[in-house]
Amino acid sequence: MKKYPRIYSLSTIGIIHHQKNDYIFHPYCTDFIGDSDSGKSIIADLLQLIFVGSSVFRSATIPVKDRREPDGLVLRSPGKSLDYGYAFVNIEIANGQFVTVSAYLESTSKATHPFIVQAGLTIEQDDFAPCRSLFMPSIFKMTNVSFH
């Protein structure tokens, strides 16, 4: 039996090792496996940045060269001075009903900027209007799309 609320998925746009990906979480157990430096710990870092914020962020791993900061998670575009990365967590609050908690990261800032995606316009405590569909990067055509 599924218990709610639960993390349904994590999606990324413009994040190193995770350019545009959707990760669906199993209701009971989700494992991430892969080669060294393939981006597994970045998933834990993104969850922490979304739920806890950058002011108390501590990377899941300590990089060999120096500390991993939120601005270092953003995929850089040659010739651009500012790039953005996005991470979205779809939370299933009831069967087929979702609220999305998210954050965007800037390549020039160590601060993250949280936001919520829901069906309604008001945000009152315990008064979110759930969406009936998932908010995932795969729904966007990435050509000439600006999220900021």
Side-chain angles (χ1 to χ4, degrees), residues 6 23 25 44 53 58 64 70 83 89 92 97 100 113 116 131 140:
R6 72 177 188 97
Y23 300 99
F25 287 52
R58 298 293 175 261
V64 175
D83 286 299
V89 173
E92 190 172 23
Q97 296 183 1
T100 304
H113 306 277
I116 296 172
C131 299
F140 298 103

Side-chain angles (χ1 to χ4, degrees), residues 49-126:
L49 286 167
I50 290 169
F51 289 116
V52 179
S54 54
S55 63
V56 293
F57 171 69
R58 298 293 175 261
S59 179
T61 62
I62 300 170
V64 175
K65 295 180 183 174
D66 55 344
R67 219 176 126 208
R68 180 184 290 161
E69 298 286 351
D71 58 340
L73 297 174
V74 178
L75 190 63
R76 299 304 310 262
S77 301
K80 286 182 72 178
S81 61
L82 176 62
D83 286 299
Y84 297 96
Y86 298 85
F88 310 95
V89 173
N90 286 297
I91 299 174
E92 190 172 23
I93 59 172
N95 188 28
Q97 296 183 1
F98 303 91
V99 171
T100 304
V101 292
S102 313
Y104 76 86
L105 296 74
E106 297 178 3
S107 60
T108 58
S109 173
K110 297 193 183 335
T112 56
H113 306 277
F115 61 97
I116 296 172
V117 179
Q118 62 159 345
L121 297 175
T122 62
I123 298 180
E124 300 296 330
Q125 187 171 352
D126 299 326

